[in-house]
């Protein structure tokens, strides 16, 4: 089925080149030139993915992202020209699934669009997990039925991606995964597009802040220096 991509971006030349390339890949493309129009287009078009620029007239990308997340789980890739905004994009509880910094490679962008749409489809289809549906580790509970995490009986608010990461690591406890492998397994990226791994690091850091008693000396999600991360069973 034809997938619809919504581009919310005020730079007309970027909209044009994105539209051209996405259409060539077989996507239907809708665009909006400011934040408010973007929210309206999202509501009326129900796109399969949103490419969202950060600096927008009327309402910035952060606000638009928050707004969309209130009603929808559509994958959102944020586009930013400012490297220093990356931590903010990933760190804030906006619910953005990914980011790309401008100027970006069109090939990489197309790969990420594809990966995020595929990831979403995998998430929607209920798969029978191989592991126990509720996992317990030293006061930490990961419930696969309700997709929720709690620590010492208290509910921990995690984003979709944070949940997917901890689910994956805990389901494969004690196995060390490199950032590249985690990008592939949790973010569904092709190896060559894993980027600098910062997405993984930031997501791990946020999770630790939420579940670890001392995030500086994590008990659950541990670092194997030079190799990657693992969940200690
Ligand atoms: Ca802009």
């Amino acid at each position: 089925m034809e997938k619809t991509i919504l581009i919310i971006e005020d730079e007309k030349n970027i909209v044009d080149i994105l539209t051209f390339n996405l259409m060539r890949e077989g996507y239907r493309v809708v665009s909006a030139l400011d934040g408010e129009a973007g929210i309206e287009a999202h509501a009326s078009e129900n796109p399969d993915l949103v490419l969202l620029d950060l600096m927008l007239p009327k309402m910035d990308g952060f606000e638009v992202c928050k707004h969309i997340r209130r009603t929808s789980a559509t994958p959102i890739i944020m586009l930013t020209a400012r490297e220093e905004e990356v931590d903010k994009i990933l760190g804030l509880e906006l619910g953005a699934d990914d980011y790309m910094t401008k100027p970006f490679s069109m090939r990489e962008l197309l790969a990420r669009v594809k990966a995020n749409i595929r990831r979403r489809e995998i998430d929607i289809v209920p798969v029978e997990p191989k592991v126990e549906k509720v996992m317990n580790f030293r006061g930490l509970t990961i419930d696969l039925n309700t997709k929720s995490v709690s620590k010492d009986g208290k509910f921990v608010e995690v984003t979709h991606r944070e949940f997917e990461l901890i689910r994956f690591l805990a389901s494969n406890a004690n196995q060390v995964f490199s950032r590249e492998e985690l990008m592939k397994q949790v973010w569904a990226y092709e190896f060559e597009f894993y980027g600098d791994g910062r997405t993984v690091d930031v997501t791990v850091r946020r999770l630790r802040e939420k579940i670890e008693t001392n995030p500086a000396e994590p008990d659950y999600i541990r670092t194997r220096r030079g190799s990657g991360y693992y969940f200690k069973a």
Side-chain angles (χ1 to χ4, degrees):
M1 210 178 74
E2 194 178 48
K3 302 291 182 195
T4 300
I5 313 286
L6 169 62
I7 303 168
I8 309 175
E9 163 71 82
D10 60 322
E11 285 167 74
K12 192 71 175 57
N13 57 333
I14 296 183
V15 174
D16 287 346
I17 194 158
L18 283 171
T19 303
F20 173 79
N21 281 280
L22 288 164
M23 284 178 73
R24 203 172 53 180
E25 294 290 310
Y27 296 106
R28 181 174 162 262
V29 180
V30 184
S31 59
L33 294 168
D34 66 63
E36 283 174 13
I39 287 172
E40 278 169 33
H42 181 269
S44 60
E45 298 288 342
N46 189 26
D48 296 282
L49 182 136
V50 179
L51 292 172
L52 175 60
D53 182 33
L54 196 55
M55 302 302 282
L56 286 167
K58 292 190 184 173
M59 190 188 273
D60 72 18
F62 291 125
E63 286 303 313
V64 174
C65 188
K66 269 194 276 186
H67 208 280
I68 290 175
R69 269 297 166 267
R70 270 181 224 142
T71 57
S72 155
T74 315
I76 298 174
I77 300 179
M78 305 263 302
L79 307 175
T80 174
R82 303 196 347 233
E83 188 70 19
E84 60 269 31
E85 297 284 5
V86 170
D87 273 22
K88 207 171 164 194
I89 292 170
L90 295 168
L92 288 180
E93 300 303 309
L94 293 171
D97 294 273
D98 201 5
Y99 71 93
M100 294 205 68
T101 46
K102 296 175 189 173
F104 44 77
S105 122
M106 190 54 65
R107 198 162 150 255
E108 181 171 356
L109 181 121
L110 292 171
R112 291 192 175 205
V113 165
K114 199 173 154 194
N116 275 283
I117 289 178
R118 191 171 62 219
R119 185 73 237 171
R120 181 83 198 124
E121 286 173 339
I122 295 167
D123 291 344
I124 289 168
V125 178
V127 282
E128 205 61 32
K130 284 184 228 92
V131 289
E132 290 290 313
K133 288 201 166 183
V134 179
M135 296 185 274
N136 285 296
F137 307 89
R138 303 180 296 286
L140 181 75
T141 304
I142 304 165
D143 189 332
L144 303 181
N145 302 306
T146 56
K147 288 200 161 192
S148 65
V149 176
S150 51
K151 174 79 189 294
D152 298 329
K154 272 202 249 164
F155 178 72
V156 179
E157 206 165 302
V158 291
T159 64
H160 172 71
R161 197 63 62 184
E162 287 164 358
F163 181 82
E164 290 302 317
L165 179 63
I166 196 160
R167 181 191 62 78
F168 177 77
L169 287 173
S171 303
N172 299 282
N174 297 330
Q175 279 185 58
V176 180
F177 294 96
S178 67
R179 293 152 160 175
E180 293 92 326
E181 283 166 331
L182 291 172
M183 280 307 269
K184 193 170 158 79
Q185 295 292 336
V186 179
W187 279 260
Y189 283 161
E190 298 302 325
F191 181 78
E192 59 184 312
F193 294 118
Y194 83 93
D196 58 7
R198 184 140 51 129
T199 304
V200 175
D201 294 340
V202 173
T203 310
V204 166
R205 193 176 74 218
R206 296 289 301 182
L207 258 177
R208 281 174 172 164
E209 283 164 7
K210 293 176 180 185
I211 63 170
E212 302 285 358
T213 307
N214 177 6
E217 280 183 40
D219 174 35
Y220 303 109
I221 303 177
R222 302 199 183 180
T223 303
R224 175 70 49 83
R225 205 159 289 281
S227 303
Y229 298 106
Y230 69 102
F231 188 96
K232 182 85 175 75

